Amino acid sequence: MPTDASMNCMAISNLLKLSVELADVSDSPRLDVEIILSYVLGKDRAHLYTWPNQILSSLEQTRFNELLRCRVNGEPVAYIIKRREFWSLPLKVSPVTIIPRPETELLIEKALSLPLDQQISVLDLGTGTGAIALALASEKPFWEIIAVDLEFGAVALAEENRQQFGFDNVKICQSNWFSNLKEIQFDLIVSNPPYLCLKDKHLQEGDVRFEPLSALVANDSGLADIHTVVFDSYLHLKPGGWLLLEHGHSQGKEVRQKMIQAGFSGTETFIDLSGLDRVSVCFKAEL
Ligand SMILES: C[S@@+](CC[C@H](N)C(=O)[O-])C[C@H]1O[C@@H](n2cnc3c(N)ncnc32)[C@H](O)[C@@H]1O
């Protein structure tokens, strides 16, 4: 094994073999090591295959060892490298909120397919990293988007992400759902609220163990925040306005019932790539 004896520094090709250490914690051990190593070296993954004999500096080796240890302990790769791509946007992530999920891109697709004007007002409730608001802003530069989160840490993170892309049509602020939004009314409200039940077994598995419960769990079998968002959204939507919600795969029927109870029309649920109920939509009928 080509190492620098004085510092125990290893070559890229040998570091990649350490993926065996992740066999028990990851479905993609090789990829995880490649991503961590690329992050430490500040290079893309192609570099690892172009320069397999490159030996790390002692600083790089120490950092790699630390980060690999974090991954062996189960920490999500996205938290380790502080990045996750969503809708082709490289977002900064941190444990103040959840790591954006690929399923949430369904909500973006559906929002973009609604019959909406070029210039509308949009609200993203529980923005986290800003994923939904920023993805919409990247596609719709004339939409005026407000994004709120209860957690000040998430608000700061979303603002950092907003600034890195320079989206001037997005405003991020702290709010307990609608508490700081006064009487403002919107053309479109989108949200991926907490929707897991505290007893949900997924909370004990994989990456989710490292994400904040405040972003994942809601009372009333996971439906309490959905209830608040649905009923309060009715008051904050203009006539003809739309509500799009992400929810758990077993919650489609209950979400549609709540939408109808709140006064909405045109309820429909869409399935994600796994064939599971994931996003529901409705609109507030014109008077
Ligand atoms: C499931 S995460 C979704 C984050 C992001 N929208 C996404 O899709 O990746 C739910 C978010 O709602 C926020 N949240 C929870 N309770 C809230 C409340 N009462 N008011 C506003 N935001 C809240 C959490 O802090 C968290 O960032």
Side-chain angles (χ1 to χ4, degrees), residues 96-101 104 124-132 148-151 154 175-177 192-195 214-216 225 246:
V96 295
T97 189
I98 67 156
I99 300 161
R101 310 281 202 268
T104 304
D124 173 19
L125 288 167
T127 197
T129 55
I132 296 173
V148 302
D149 204 284
L150 179 66
E151 304 296 332
S175 183
N176 181 355
W177 299 134
N192 174 16
Y195 56 69
S214 58
L216 294 164
D225 286 322
E246 179 171 333

Short mmCIF file of all heavy atoms in Angstrom, two decimals, residues 96-101 104 124-132 148-151 154 175-177 192-195 214-216 225 246, ligand 1:
data_model
loop_
_atom_site.label_atom_id
_atom_site.label_comp_id
_atom_site.label_asym_id
_atom_site.label_seq_id
_atom_site.Cartn_x
_atom_site.Cartn_y
_atom_site.Cartn_z
N VAL A 96 -29.95 21.77 11.32
CA VAL A 96 -31.07 22.59 11.82
C VAL A 96 -32.37 22.20 11.13
O VAL A 96 -33.46 22.51 11.62
CB VAL A 96 -30.85 24.11 11.64
CG1 VAL A 96 -29.69 24.60 12.47
CG2 VAL A 96 -30.67 24.49 10.17
N THR A 97 -32.26 21.52 9.99
CA THR A 97 -33.48 21.11 9.27
C THR A 97 -33.18 19.85 8.46
O THR A 97 -32.05 19.35 8.46
CB THR A 97 -34.02 22.24 8.37
OG1 THR A 97 -35.31 21.85 7.88
CG2 THR A 97 -33.09 22.55 7.21
N ILE A 98 -34.20 19.34 7.77
CA ILE A 98 -34.00 18.08 7.05
C ILE A 98 -33.19 18.28 5.77
O ILE A 98 -33.09 19.38 5.25
CB ILE A 98 -35.34 17.38 6.68
CG1 ILE A 98 -36.14 18.20 5.65
CG2 ILE A 98 -36.17 17.11 7.91
CD1 ILE A 98 -37.11 17.36 4.84
N ILE A 99 -32.65 17.19 5.28
CA ILE A 99 -31.96 17.17 3.99
C ILE A 99 -33.05 17.06 2.92
O ILE A 99 -33.90 16.17 3.00
CB ILE A 99 -31.02 15.94 3.93
CG1 ILE A 99 -29.98 16.02 5.05
CG2 ILE A 99 -30.35 15.85 2.56
CD1 ILE A 99 -29.33 14.68 5.38
N PRO A 100 -33.06 17.97 1.94
CA PRO A 100 -34.13 17.89 0.92
C PRO A 100 -34.15 16.53 0.23
O PRO A 100 -33.11 15.92 -0.03
CB PRO A 100 -33.73 18.99 -0.08
CG PRO A 100 -32.83 19.90 0.66
CD PRO A 100 -32.13 19.07 1.69
N ARG A 101 -35.38 16.04 -0.01
CA ARG A 101 -35.57 14.70 -0.57
C ARG A 101 -35.91 14.76 -2.06
O ARG A 101 -36.60 15.68 -2.49
CB ARG A 101 -36.77 14.00 0.10
CG ARG A 101 -36.78 14.03 1.61
CD ARG A 101 -35.86 12.98 2.16
NE ARG A 101 -36.20 12.63 3.54
CZ ARG A 101 -35.71 13.19 4.63
NH1 ARG A 101 -34.86 14.19 4.53
NH2 ARG A 101 -36.06 12.75 5.84
N THR A 104 -39.59 15.37 -3.00
CA THR A 104 -40.14 16.73 -2.95
C THR A 104 -40.08 17.41 -4.32
O THR A 104 -40.79 18.38 -4.57
CB THR A 104 -39.38 17.53 -1.86
OG1 THR A 104 -39.49 16.80 -0.63
CG2 THR A 104 -39.96 18.91 -1.64
N ASP A 124 -44.05 29.62 0.72
CA ASP A 124 -43.52 28.29 1.06
C ASP A 124 -43.48 28.19 2.58
O ASP A 124 -42.71 28.89 3.24
CB ASP A 124 -42.11 28.13 0.45
CG ASP A 124 -41.42 26.83 0.90
OD1 ASP A 124 -42.12 25.91 1.35
OD2 ASP A 124 -40.18 26.77 0.78
N LEU A 125 -44.32 27.30 3.13
CA LEU A 125 -44.43 27.17 4.59
C LEU A 125 -43.51 26.06 5.10
O LEU A 125 -43.64 24.91 4.67
CB LEU A 125 -45.86 26.81 4.96
CG LEU A 125 -46.92 27.92 4.83
CD1 LEU A 125 -48.31 27.32 4.93
CD2 LEU A 125 -46.72 29.00 5.87
N GLY A 126 -42.60 26.38 6.03
CA GLY A 126 -41.65 25.39 6.55
C GLY A 126 -40.56 25.16 5.52
O GLY A 126 -40.35 24.04 5.05
N THR A 127 -39.84 26.22 5.20
CA THR A 127 -38.94 26.19 4.03
C THR A 127 -37.66 25.39 4.26
O THR A 127 -37.03 24.93 3.31
CB THR A 127 -38.63 27.63 3.57
OG1 THR A 127 -38.11 27.59 2.25
CG2 THR A 127 -37.65 28.34 4.50
N GLY A 128 -37.24 25.21 5.52
CA GLY A 128 -36.01 24.44 5.79
C GLY A 128 -34.80 25.08 5.13
O GLY A 128 -34.47 26.24 5.38
N THR A 129 -34.16 24.34 4.21
CA THR A 129 -33.00 24.87 3.47
C THR A 129 -33.41 25.93 2.44
O THR A 129 -32.54 26.53 1.82
CB THR A 129 -32.33 23.74 2.66
OG1 THR A 129 -33.33 23.15 1.83
CG2 THR A 129 -31.72 22.69 3.56
N GLY A 130 -34.72 26.06 2.24
CA GLY A 130 -35.21 26.95 1.17
C GLY A 130 -35.45 26.17 -0.11
O GLY A 130 -35.78 26.76 -1.15
N ALA A 131 -35.34 24.85 -0.04
CA ALA A 131 -35.36 24.00 -1.24
C ALA A 131 -36.52 24.32 -2.19
O ALA A 131 -36.30 24.58 -3.39
CB ALA A 131 -35.41 22.52 -0.84
N ILE A 132 -37.74 24.31 -1.67
CA ILE A 132 -38.91 24.48 -2.54
C ILE A 132 -38.96 25.90 -3.11
O ILE A 132 -39.10 26.10 -4.32
CB ILE A 132 -40.21 24.14 -1.77
CG1 ILE A 132 -40.20 22.66 -1.37
CG2 ILE A 132 -41.44 24.48 -2.58
CD1 ILE A 132 -41.35 22.23 -0.45
N VAL A 148 -41.12 30.82 4.81
CA VAL A 148 -41.01 30.98 6.27
C VAL A 148 -40.63 29.66 6.93
O VAL A 148 -40.91 28.57 6.40
CB VAL A 148 -42.33 31.49 6.90
CG1 VAL A 148 -42.76 32.81 6.28
CG2 VAL A 148 -43.45 30.46 6.79
N ASP A 149 -40.02 29.79 8.09
CA ASP A 149 -39.76 28.61 8.93
C ASP A 149 -39.84 29.06 10.38
O ASP A 149 -39.56 30.21 10.72
CB ASP A 149 -38.38 28.00 8.64
CG ASP A 149 -38.34 26.52 9.03
OD1 ASP A 149 -38.25 26.23 10.26
OD2 ASP A 149 -38.41 25.66 8.13
N LEU A 150 -40.23 28.12 11.23
CA LEU A 150 -40.32 28.40 12.67
C LEU A 150 -38.93 28.57 13.27
O LEU A 150 -38.72 29.39 14.17
CB LEU A 150 -41.03 27.22 13.35
CG LEU A 150 -41.22 27.29 14.86
CD1 LEU A 150 -42.17 28.42 15.22
CD2 LEU A 150 -41.76 25.97 15.39
N GLU A 151 -37.97 27.79 12.78
CA GLU A 151 -36.64 27.74 13.38
C GLU A 151 -35.75 28.84 12.80
O GLU A 151 -35.55 28.92 11.58
CB GLU A 151 -35.98 26.37 13.09
CG GLU A 151 -36.79 25.18 13.56
CD GLU A 151 -36.97 25.12 15.07
OE1 GLU A 151 -36.10 25.66 15.79
OE2 GLU A 151 -37.99 24.58 15.53
N ALA A 154 -32.98 27.57 10.56
CA ALA A 154 -33.40 27.25 9.19
C ALA A 154 -33.57 28.52 8.37
O ALA A 154 -33.20 28.56 7.19
CB ALA A 154 -34.70 26.44 9.21
N SER A 175 -41.49 32.61 10.96
CA SER A 175 -42.92 32.67 11.28
C SER A 175 -43.38 31.29 11.75
O SER A 175 -42.91 30.26 11.25
CB SER A 175 -43.70 33.07 10.01
OG SER A 175 -45.07 33.20 10.29
N ASN A 176 -44.29 31.31 12.72
CA ASN A 176 -44.94 30.07 13.16
C ASN A 176 -46.15 29.88 12.24
O ASN A 176 -47.19 30.50 12.47
CB ASN A 176 -45.34 30.22 14.63
CG ASN A 176 -46.00 28.97 15.17
OD1 ASN A 176 -46.26 28.00 14.43
ND2 ASN A 176 -46.31 28.99 16.45
N TRP A 177 -45.95 29.12 11.18
CA TRP A 177 -46.89 29.06 10.05
C TRP A 177 -47.26 30.48 9.63
O TRP A 177 -46.39 31.21 9.18
CB TRP A 177 -48.11 28.19 10.36
CG TRP A 177 -47.74 26.74 10.67
CD1 TRP A 177 -48.21 25.97 11.71
CD2 TRP A 177 -46.82 25.88 9.95
NE1 TRP A 177 -47.65 24.70 11.67
CE2 TRP A 177 -46.79 24.62 10.62
CE3 TRP A 177 -46.03 26.05 8.83
CZ2 TRP A 177 -46.00 23.55 10.19
CZ3 TRP A 177 -45.22 24.98 8.40
CH2 TRP A 177 -45.22 23.76 9.07
N ASN A 192 -44.13 21.45 2.64
CA ASN A 192 -43.76 20.08 3.01
C ASN A 192 -43.63 20.11 4.54
O ASN A 192 -42.54 20.23 5.06
CB ASN A 192 -42.44 19.69 2.33
CG ASN A 192 -41.93 18.34 2.78
OD1 ASN A 192 -42.68 17.55 3.37
ND2 ASN A 192 -40.67 18.06 2.53
N PRO A 193 -44.76 20.06 5.25
CA PRO A 193 -44.73 20.22 6.71
C PRO A 193 -44.28 18.92 7.39
O PRO A 193 -44.23 17.86 6.75
CB PRO A 193 -46.19 20.52 7.04
CG PRO A 193 -46.96 19.79 6.00
CD PRO A 193 -46.13 19.80 4.76
N PRO A 194 -43.95 18.98 8.70
CA PRO A 194 -43.68 17.72 9.42
C PRO A 194 -44.94 16.86 9.35
O PRO A 194 -46.04 17.36 9.56
CB PRO A 194 -43.44 18.20 10.86
CG PRO A 194 -43.10 19.66 10.75
CD PRO A 194 -43.86 20.16 9.56
N TYR A 195 -44.77 15.55 9.05
CA TYR A 195 -45.97 14.71 8.95
C TYR A 195 -45.79 13.30 9.50
O TYR A 195 -46.64 12.43 9.29
CB TYR A 195 -46.50 14.66 7.51
CG TYR A 195 -45.53 14.21 6.44
CD1 TYR A 195 -45.08 12.90 6.36
CD2 TYR A 195 -45.10 15.10 5.46
CE1 TYR A 195 -44.21 12.49 5.35
CE2 TYR A 195 -44.23 14.71 4.45
CZ TYR A 195 -43.79 13.40 4.40
OH TYR A 195 -42.93 13.01 3.41
N SER A 214 -38.25 18.27 15.20
CA SER A 214 -39.15 19.41 14.99
C SER A 214 -39.49 19.58 13.50
O SER A 214 -40.49 20.21 13.16
CB SER A 214 -38.51 20.69 15.52
OG SER A 214 -37.26 20.89 14.87
N ALA A 215 -38.65 19.03 12.62
CA ALA A 215 -38.90 19.15 11.18
C ALA A 215 -39.64 17.95 10.63
O ALA A 215 -40.10 17.97 9.49
CB ALA A 215 -37.58 19.33 10.43
N LEU A 216 -39.76 16.91 11.46
CA LEU A 216 -40.29 15.63 10.95
C LEU A 216 -41.62 15.22 11.56
O LEU A 216 -42.47 14.63 10.89
CB LEU A 216 -39.28 14.51 11.25
CG LEU A 216 -37.92 14.58 10.54
CD1 LEU A 216 -36.93 13.65 11.22
CD2 LEU A 216 -38.09 14.20 9.07
N ASP A 225 -49.91 19.35 11.92
CA ASP A 225 -49.41 20.51 11.15
C ASP A 225 -50.11 20.60 9.80
O ASP A 225 -50.41 21.70 9.31
CB ASP A 225 -47.89 20.42 10.98
CG ASP A 225 -47.16 20.76 12.28
OD1 ASP A 225 -47.62 21.67 13.00
OD2 ASP A 225 -46.15 20.10 12.58
N GLU A 246 -46.97 18.35 0.37
CA GLU A 246 -46.37 17.01 0.45
C GLU A 246 -46.84 16.36 1.75
O GLU A 246 -47.05 17.05 2.76
CB GLU A 246 -44.84 17.10 0.44
CG GLU A 246 -44.20 15.73 0.54
CD GLU A 246 -42.69 15.72 0.31
OE1 GLU A 246 -42.18 16.61 -0.39
OE2 GLU A 246 -42.05 14.80 0.86
C1 LIG B 1 -40.27 18.37 6.50
S1 LIG B 1 -39.34 19.84 6.74
C2 LIG B 1 -39.39 20.52 5.08
C3 LIG B 1 -38.22 21.40 4.75
C4 LIG B 1 -38.18 21.83 3.28
N1 LIG B 1 -39.39 22.55 2.91
C5 LIG B 1 -38.01 20.64 2.36
O1 LIG B 1 -38.98 20.25 1.71
O2 LIG B 1 -36.91 20.09 2.29
C6 LIG B 1 -40.49 20.82 7.64
C7 LIG B 1 -40.01 22.23 7.98
O3 LIG B 1 -41.09 22.90 8.64
C8 LIG B 1 -40.56 23.69 9.69
N2 LIG B 1 -41.62 23.90 10.69
C9 LIG B 1 -42.06 23.05 11.65
N3 LIG B 1 -43.04 23.62 12.37
C10 LIG B 1 -43.24 24.85 11.83
C11 LIG B 1 -44.11 25.92 12.16
N4 LIG B 1 -44.98 25.86 13.19
N5 LIG B 1 -44.05 27.06 11.40
C12 LIG B 1 -43.16 27.15 10.38
N6 LIG B 1 -42.29 26.16 10.05
C13 LIG B 1 -42.34 25.03 10.77
C14 LIG B 1 -39.39 22.88 10.22
O4 LIG B 1 -38.49 23.68 10.94
C15 LIG B 1 -38.81 22.29 8.92
O5 LIG B 1 -37.80 23.12 8.40
#
